[in-house]
Amino acid sequence: MSILDKINQLKKERNAVILAHYYVRDEVQEIADYVGDSFYLSKIATQIQAETIVFCGVSFMGESAKILNPEKTVIMPDMEADCPMAHMADIDKINAAREKYEDLAVVCYINSTALLKTYSDVCVTSSNALKIVKALPNQHIYFIPDENLGRYVASKVPDKHFIFNDGYCHVHKSITAKNIQIVKDIHPKAEILVHPECTMDVIAMADYVGSTSGIIHYVTESRAKEFIVCTEMGVRYELQLKKPKKLFLDAGQCYCSGMKLVTLEKVAEALEQMKNVVELEEEVRIQARKPLKRMLELG
Ligand code: SF4
C-alpha cells in the first residue's frame, strides 16, 4: 500500500482531518484537507467536525488547535517541530509593563507558546494584526514576541504607543535588502512581496506587504509576471499551483527547519499509533483561550 493510501485509510479509521501550514513540505500540503496560514487554520480548527486533528506545522499551532477544541484529539506528526520565536518573550517584562501602563494591551502574535498567550489580552496573526490593534481601545500596546511585525504594525498605527519585544523569526530575518536588490537588478520588473516578519529595511522595498495568504492573493490579482517572494519557501507550492506560468524568485534560502520536520511518514505513524497528542494543563488552556477567542471576534 502506498503511503498516501495508508494515510487516507487511517484518516477514515481515526475520523481525522489534516491541517497543514503553507510552510510545510509540498507533499504534506498535497495530502492535507485544509492548507493555510495561521489565521485561516485557527478559524478552521473551530469548525471541524472530525474527532481528530492532525496538525502539520509547528508546536504553537497544535497548541492553538487544542486550546480552541478541547474535546478533540490533536496530534502532531513531530513533537520536535517548533518555532524558536514562539518562546521569545519574558513574562517578568510583561508584568513590569502592566505595572507601568494602566491602559496596556498585551498583543500576542499567534506564533507564541500557550503560556505566553495566558499573559496576553489578544492574539493576532500577520493577516489581522493591523485591524485588531486599530480596533483596540488601549493607547499603549506591548507587542510580543515578534519585534519586526510589531514595528510594522506600529508604523501603520502612529497614534498608539508601542513597546517592542526583542523576539524575531530567524527565517525571515535572514532575508536582506542587499540580496533582494541583487535579484531585482537581474529582474527589474519583478514585484517584491514581503512578509511583515521581515526587517523594516526589507519591508521598505516591498511592492506588497502581507501575510502568506495575502501574498498568495496578491499574486493571483497582480498583472506582473515575476515576483521576488520574501517569505518561507514553502509558499511556492501554492503559488505555482495557482499561477504556474508566473516566475517566483527567492532572495536567499528562506527555509524553516521546524516546518520541514513534518513528513508523510510521520503523519502516517502519528495517525497509526495516535501518538504525539497535544496536552495542555486545563488552567493554561482556559487562560490561553481568551486572547485567541478575542482575536477571532475582532479579526
Ligand atoms: S518561519 Fe519563522 S515564525 Fe514561522 S514557524 Fe518558522 S521560525 Fe517560526
Side-chain angles (χ1 to χ4, degrees):
M1 187 189 287
S2 76
I3 187 87
L4 295 182
D5 290 342
K6 186 173 178 182
I7 290 171
N8 282 326
Q9 185 181 317
L10 285 164
K11 265 174 53 182
K12 281 190 202 133
E13 288 171 15
R14 308 290 191 228
N15 188 14
V17 292
I18 299 178
L19 271 53
H21 193 273
Y22 284 129
Y23 296 168
V24 297
R25 295 166 186 268
D26 296 359
E27 63 273 20
V28 177
Q29 292 188 48
E30 200 178 341
I31 52 114
D33 298 290
Y34 301 94
V35 184
D37 64 5
S38 301
F39 184 53
Y40 172 76
L41 294 174
S42 58
K43 271 201 305 187
I44 285 291
T46 63
Q47 297 160 11
I48 279 169
Q49 301 297 322
E51 286 165 25
T52 303
I53 297 172
V54 184
F55 213 118
C56 298
V58 290
S59 51
F60 75 81
M61 297 176 173
E63 284 183 349
S64 296
K66 183 65 184 176
I67 290 164
L68 293 167
N69 293 279
E71 74 290 354
K72 297 199 189 302
T73 303
V74 179
I75 59 176
M76 304 293 290
D78 189 324
M79 290 301 247
E80 300 296 312
D82 196 10
C83 167
M85 184 173 71
H87 305 264
M88 290 182 191
D90 185 335
I91 287 159
D92 289 341
K93 286 186 185 168
I94 297 171
N95 289 334
R98 282 205 191 277
E99 282 195 13
K100 188 169 178 187
Y101 300 101
E102 206 177 304
D103 169 39
L104 184 81
V106 178
V107 176
C108 186
Y109 191 21
I110 198 167
N111 297 28
S112 53
T113 60
L115 185 66
L116 280 181
K117 289 183 177 81
T118 67
Y119 287 86
S120 306
D121 297 299
V122 63
C123 286
V124 296
T125 68
S126 48
S127 304
N128 63 25
L130 207 51
K131 182 178 175 190
I132 288 178
V133 169
K134 280 181 179 169
L136 289 173
N138 313 65
Q139 195 57 31
H140 301 287
I141 307 292
Y142 190 6
F143 199 99
I144 61 167
D146 186 18
E147 179 176 356
N148 291 322
L149 179 61
R151 288 195 182 277
Y152 173 67
V153 173
S155 73
K156 301 287 180 191
V157 192
D159 54 317
K160 298 204 181 200
H161 167 238
F162 281 72
I163 304 155
F164 301 110
N165 178 65
D166 56 4
Y168 60 91
C169 163
H170 66 96
V171 179
H172 288 88
K173 202 178 174 186
S174 72
I175 300 171
T176 64
K178 187 177 165 200
N179 284 349
I180 294 171
Q181 193 58 56
I182 291 169
V183 184
K184 181 78 174 170
D185 287 345
I186 302 166
H187 298 271
K189 289 189 177 160
E191 291 193 326
I192 300 170
L193 315 179
V194 175
H195 191 283
E197 284 174 26
C198 292
T199 52
M200 287 301 277
D201 57 337
V202 168
I203 288 175
M205 298 177 79
D207 294 291
Y208 173 78
V209 182
S211 66
T212 317
S213 297
I215 287 173
I216 293 166
H217 180 71
Y218 182 89
V219 165
T220 59
E221 301 283 306
S222 171
R223 300 173 71 142
K225 294 189 170 67
E226 298 179 356
F227 304 89
I228 303 170
V229 183
C230 302
T231 188
E232 212 277 348
M233 60 194 292
V235 72
R236 292 278 204 91
Y237 176 72
E238 185 71 17
L239 289 172
Q240 294 285 3
L241 272 183
K242 286 212 152 63
K243 290 288 168 188
K245 291 189 179 151
K246 295 194 176 189
L247 179 65
F248 302 106
L249 304 151
D250 287 326
Q253 267 286 60
C254 195
Y255 176 93
C256 178
S257 52
M259 291 283 190
K260 301 302 189 254
L261 283 176
V262 182
T263 63
L264 290 179
E265 289 72 19
K266 289 177 189 172
V267 171
E269 195 178 304
L271 264 174
E272 189 166 37
Q273 299 176 22
M274 289 300 281
K275 67 173 192 176
N276 301 341
V277 175
V278 177
E279 308 274 9
L280 288 169
E281 281 177 30
E282 190 58 3
E283 181 63 18
V284 169
R285 191 193 67 73
I286 290 168
Q287 289 303 323
R289 183 179 164 87
K290 291 177 187 170
L292 275 172
K293 289 294 281 182
R294 197 163 178 213
M295 174 187 80
L296 294 172
E297 285 156 19
L298 290 172

